[in-house]
Amino acid sequence: MKKIIESADAPEAIGPYSQAVAYNGIVYCSGQIALHPETLEMVGRDVQSQTRQVMANLGQVLEAARA
C-alpha cells in the first residue's frame, strides 16, 4: 500500500508532489534544497552549510516515515 509522507519539520513540497512516498517497504524521497523549514529561506552561502540543511530536511522526512 502506498503512503504519502509529510513532515512539518521540513519544507513543504513546492508543486504537485510529496516530500516522500512509502511503498512496499521502501521510502522514496523527493529532492531537497537548503531551505530552512520555518522561514523557507535558503540557508548559508557555502556548500557545507547548505548540505547540512539538506540532510537535516531529509532526516526529518525520514523520521516522519518511521511513524
Side-chain angles (χ1 to χ4, degrees):
M1 174 170 216
K2 178 174 84 169
K3 178 181 176 189
I4 303 300
I5 308 298
E6 296 178 333
S7 172
D9 297 321
E12 291 182 7
I14 303 170
Y17 56 91
S18 306
Q19 291 172 325
V21 175
Y23 180 75
N24 200 26
I26 299 173
V27 177
Y28 299 90
C29 294
S30 67
Q32 290 285 325
I33 58 176
L35 291 180
H36 188 278
E38 293 175 8
T39 65
L40 298 180
E41 296 200 11
M42 288 293 284
V43 173
R45 293 178 174 241
D46 59 275
V47 68
Q48 291 87 358
S49 61
Q50 291 178 356
T51 300
R52 279 191 290 276
Q53 186 63 53
V54 166
M55 298 308 283
N57 292 344
L58 283 171
Q60 291 301 322
V61 172
L62 291 173
E63 282 295 319
R66 288 176 41 166

